[in-house]
Short mmCIF file of all heavy atoms in Angstrom, two decimals:
data_model
loop_
_atom_site.label_atom_id
_atom_site.label_comp_id
_atom_site.label_asym_id
_atom_site.label_seq_id
_atom_site.Cartn_x
_atom_site.Cartn_y
_atom_site.Cartn_z
N GLY H 1 283.83 -69.95 24.79
CA GLY H 1 283.88 -68.55 24.46
C GLY H 1 284.20 -68.21 23.04
O GLY H 1 284.22 -67.03 22.68
N GLN H 2 284.47 -69.22 22.16
CA GLN H 2 284.88 -68.92 20.79
C GLN H 2 284.18 -69.86 19.82
O GLN H 2 283.71 -70.94 20.17
CB GLN H 2 286.38 -69.17 20.65
CG GLN H 2 287.28 -68.45 21.63
CD GLN H 2 288.70 -68.91 21.53
OE1 GLN H 2 289.44 -68.52 20.65
NE2 GLN H 2 289.08 -69.80 22.45
N HIS H 3 284.13 -69.46 18.57
CA HIS H 3 283.67 -70.37 17.51
C HIS H 3 284.22 -69.91 16.16
O HIS H 3 284.40 -68.72 15.89
CB HIS H 3 282.14 -70.49 17.48
CG HIS H 3 281.43 -69.19 17.21
ND1 HIS H 3 281.11 -68.30 18.21
CD2 HIS H 3 280.96 -68.65 16.05
CE1 HIS H 3 280.45 -67.28 17.71
NE2 HIS H 3 280.36 -67.47 16.38
N TYR H 4 284.58 -70.92 15.32
CA TYR H 4 285.18 -70.64 14.01
C TYR H 4 284.58 -71.60 12.98
O TYR H 4 284.12 -72.69 13.29
CB TYR H 4 286.70 -70.88 14.08
CG TYR H 4 287.41 -70.01 15.08
CD1 TYR H 4 287.72 -70.47 16.35
CD2 TYR H 4 287.74 -68.68 14.75
CE1 TYR H 4 288.37 -69.66 17.27
CE2 TYR H 4 288.40 -67.87 15.69
CZ TYR H 4 288.70 -68.37 16.95
OH TYR H 4 289.36 -67.55 17.84
N VAL H 5 284.62 -71.14 11.73
CA VAL H 5 284.07 -71.89 10.60
C VAL H 5 285.24 -72.37 9.74
O VAL H 5 286.19 -71.60 9.47
CB VAL H 5 283.10 -71.08 9.77
CG1 VAL H 5 282.62 -71.88 8.54
CG2 VAL H 5 281.89 -70.66 10.60
N PHE H 6 285.16 -73.63 9.30
CA PHE H 6 286.19 -74.19 8.40
C PHE H 6 285.50 -74.73 7.15
O PHE H 6 284.46 -75.38 7.24
CB PHE H 6 286.93 -75.35 9.08
CG PHE H 6 287.78 -74.89 10.23
CD1 PHE H 6 287.20 -74.68 11.48
CD2 PHE H 6 289.13 -74.69 10.07
CE1 PHE H 6 287.98 -74.27 12.57
CE2 PHE H 6 289.92 -74.29 11.14
CZ PHE H 6 289.35 -74.07 12.40
N LYS H 7 286.08 -74.45 6.00
CA LYS H 7 285.62 -74.97 4.71
C LYS H 7 286.80 -75.67 4.03
O LYS H 7 287.88 -75.10 3.89
CB LYS H 7 285.11 -73.82 3.82
CG LYS H 7 283.92 -73.06 4.39
CD LYS H 7 282.61 -73.75 4.18
CE LYS H 7 281.44 -72.86 4.57
NZ LYS H 7 280.16 -73.42 4.19
N GLU H 8 286.58 -76.91 3.64
CA GLU H 8 287.61 -77.73 3.03
C GLU H 8 288.89 -77.71 3.89
O GLU H 8 290.03 -77.63 3.37
CB GLU H 8 287.89 -77.24 1.60
CG GLU H 8 286.70 -77.39 0.69
CD GLU H 8 286.94 -76.90 -0.70
OE1 GLU H 8 288.04 -76.31 -0.96
OE2 GLU H 8 286.11 -77.10 -1.58
N GLY H 9 288.68 -77.74 5.18
CA GLY H 9 289.82 -77.83 6.12
C GLY H 9 290.51 -76.51 6.44
O GLY H 9 291.40 -76.44 7.26
N GLU H 10 290.05 -75.40 5.81
CA GLU H 10 290.68 -74.10 6.04
C GLU H 10 289.72 -73.19 6.82
O GLU H 10 288.54 -73.13 6.55
CB GLU H 10 291.02 -73.44 4.69
CG GLU H 10 291.96 -74.24 3.82
CD GLU H 10 293.37 -74.30 4.39
OE1 GLU H 10 293.77 -73.31 5.05
OE2 GLU H 10 294.06 -75.30 4.17
N MET H 11 290.29 -72.43 7.78
CA MET H 11 289.48 -71.44 8.52
C MET H 11 289.08 -70.32 7.57
O MET H 11 289.92 -69.84 6.82
CB MET H 11 290.29 -70.91 9.71
CG MET H 11 289.45 -69.96 10.58
SD MET H 11 290.42 -69.17 11.89
CE MET H 11 290.66 -70.60 12.99
N VAL H 12 287.81 -69.95 7.59
CA VAL H 12 287.31 -68.94 6.69
C VAL H 12 286.59 -67.83 7.49
O VAL H 12 286.08 -68.06 8.58
CB VAL H 12 286.33 -69.51 5.67
CG1 VAL H 12 287.06 -70.55 4.81
CG2 VAL H 12 285.10 -70.14 6.33
N ASP H 13 286.53 -66.63 6.88
CA ASP H 13 285.72 -65.55 7.46
C ASP H 13 284.27 -65.87 7.15
O ASP H 13 283.94 -66.53 6.15
CB ASP H 13 286.14 -64.22 6.85
CG ASP H 13 287.53 -63.79 7.23
OD1 ASP H 13 287.94 -64.12 8.38
OD2 ASP H 13 288.24 -63.22 6.41
N PHE H 14 283.38 -65.35 7.98
CA PHE H 14 281.96 -65.55 7.72
C PHE H 14 281.15 -64.37 8.27
O PHE H 14 281.63 -63.67 9.19
CB PHE H 14 281.46 -66.85 8.35
CG PHE H 14 281.54 -66.90 9.85
CD1 PHE H 14 280.45 -66.56 10.66
CD2 PHE H 14 282.74 -67.29 10.51
CE1 PHE H 14 280.55 -66.60 12.04
CE2 PHE H 14 282.82 -67.34 11.86
CZ PHE H 14 281.74 -66.99 12.63
N THR H 15 279.99 -64.16 7.76
CA THR H 15 279.08 -63.15 8.26
C THR H 15 278.11 -63.82 9.23
O THR H 15 277.34 -64.70 8.81
CB THR H 15 278.32 -62.48 7.12
OG1 THR H 15 279.25 -61.89 6.24
CG2 THR H 15 277.40 -61.41 7.65
N PRO H 16 278.11 -63.40 10.48
CA PRO H 16 277.20 -64.04 11.43
C PRO H 16 275.76 -63.79 11.00
O PRO H 16 275.40 -62.76 10.48
CB PRO H 16 277.51 -63.30 12.73
CG PRO H 16 278.87 -62.71 12.56
CD PRO H 16 278.97 -62.38 11.11
N PRO H 17 274.92 -64.79 11.20
CA PRO H 17 273.47 -64.60 10.88
C PRO H 17 272.84 -63.64 11.86
O PRO H 17 273.43 -63.27 12.89
CB PRO H 17 272.92 -66.01 11.08
CG PRO H 17 273.81 -66.65 12.05
CD PRO H 17 275.19 -66.11 11.79
N GLU H 18 271.63 -63.24 11.54
CA GLU H 18 270.87 -62.38 12.43
C GLU H 18 270.69 -63.03 13.80
O GLU H 18 270.44 -64.23 13.89
CB GLU H 18 269.51 -62.07 11.83
CG GLU H 18 268.61 -61.19 12.68
CD GLU H 18 267.23 -60.99 12.10
OE1 GLU H 18 267.01 -61.50 10.96
OE2 GLU H 18 266.40 -60.34 12.74
N GLN H 19 270.82 -62.24 14.85
CA GLN H 19 270.63 -62.77 16.18
C GLN H 19 269.13 -62.96 16.46
O GLN H 19 268.38 -62.00 16.45
CB GLN H 19 271.26 -61.85 17.24
CG GLN H 19 272.76 -61.77 17.13
CD GLN H 19 273.39 -60.98 18.27
OE1 GLN H 19 272.75 -60.66 19.24
NE2 GLN H 19 274.70 -60.66 18.13
N THR H 20 268.75 -64.19 16.67
CA THR H 20 267.34 -64.50 16.90
C THR H 20 267.09 -65.01 18.31
O THR H 20 265.92 -65.07 18.74
CB THR H 20 266.85 -65.57 15.91
OG1 THR H 20 267.72 -66.72 16.00
CG2 THR H 20 266.87 -65.04 14.48
N ILE H 21 268.14 -65.42 19.01
CA ILE H 21 267.99 -65.93 20.39
C ILE H 21 268.35 -64.79 21.33
O ILE H 21 269.45 -64.28 21.33
CB ILE H 21 268.91 -67.10 20.65
CG1 ILE H 21 268.67 -68.21 19.65
CG2 ILE H 21 268.71 -67.64 22.10
CD1 ILE H 21 269.62 -69.40 19.77
N PRO H 22 267.42 -64.35 22.14
CA PRO H 22 267.64 -63.21 23.04
C PRO H 22 268.76 -63.49 24.03
O PRO H 22 268.97 -64.63 24.43
CB PRO H 22 266.33 -63.01 23.78
CG PRO H 22 265.33 -63.75 22.98
CD PRO H 22 266.04 -64.88 22.33
N ASP H 23 269.49 -62.46 24.40
CA ASP H 23 270.47 -62.62 25.48
C ASP H 23 269.78 -63.04 26.77
O ASP H 23 268.67 -62.62 27.05
CB ASP H 23 271.25 -61.31 25.72
CG ASP H 23 272.17 -60.95 24.54
OD1 ASP H 23 272.39 -61.81 23.70
OD2 ASP H 23 272.61 -59.77 24.50
N SER H 24 270.48 -63.84 27.56
CA SER H 24 269.92 -64.28 28.83
C SER H 24 270.04 -63.20 29.87
O SER H 24 271.00 -62.45 29.90
CB SER H 24 270.65 -65.53 29.30
OG SER H 24 270.20 -65.91 30.59
N ILE H 25 269.08 -63.15 30.80
CA ILE H 25 269.17 -62.23 31.92
C ILE H 25 270.02 -62.83 33.01
O ILE H 25 270.23 -62.23 34.06
CB ILE H 25 267.75 -61.87 32.46
CG1 ILE H 25 267.01 -63.14 32.95
CG2 ILE H 25 266.95 -61.14 31.44
CD1 ILE H 25 265.70 -62.87 33.65
N GLY H 26 270.50 -64.05 32.79
CA GLY H 26 271.29 -64.77 33.76
C GLY H 26 270.62 -66.10 34.10
O GLY H 26 269.38 -66.17 34.16
N HIS H 27 271.41 -67.13 34.24
CA HIS H 27 270.82 -68.48 34.37
C HIS H 27 269.95 -68.60 35.63
O HIS H 27 268.85 -69.20 35.57
CB HIS H 27 271.96 -69.52 34.47
CG HIS H 27 271.59 -70.88 34.10
ND1 HIS H 27 271.09 -71.21 32.86
CD2 HIS H 27 271.59 -72.04 34.80
CE1 HIS H 27 270.80 -72.50 32.83
NE2 HIS H 27 271.13 -73.04 33.99
N HIS H 28 270.39 -68.05 36.74
CA HIS H 28 269.57 -68.07 37.96
C HIS H 28 268.39 -67.13 37.85
O HIS H 28 267.27 -67.49 38.25
CB HIS H 28 270.41 -67.70 39.19
CG HIS H 28 271.55 -68.66 39.45
ND1 HIS H 28 272.80 -68.45 38.90
CD2 HIS H 28 271.64 -69.78 40.19
CE1 HIS H 28 273.60 -69.40 39.31
NE2 HIS H 28 272.92 -70.23 40.10
N GLN H 29 268.62 -65.96 37.24
CA GLN H 29 267.55 -65.00 37.11
C GLN H 29 266.43 -65.46 36.18
O GLN H 29 265.27 -65.13 36.41
CB GLN H 29 268.12 -63.65 36.65
CG GLN H 29 268.97 -62.94 37.67
CD GLN H 29 268.22 -62.67 38.95
OE1 GLN H 29 267.09 -62.18 38.94
NE2 GLN H 29 268.83 -62.97 40.12
#
């Protein structure tokens, strides 16, 4: 449920890239 970016061992803020992978309608669906 989470993800973080580290640079030179330190947690940094980042700008998420454009969303290119569509949300799923559900794994079974």
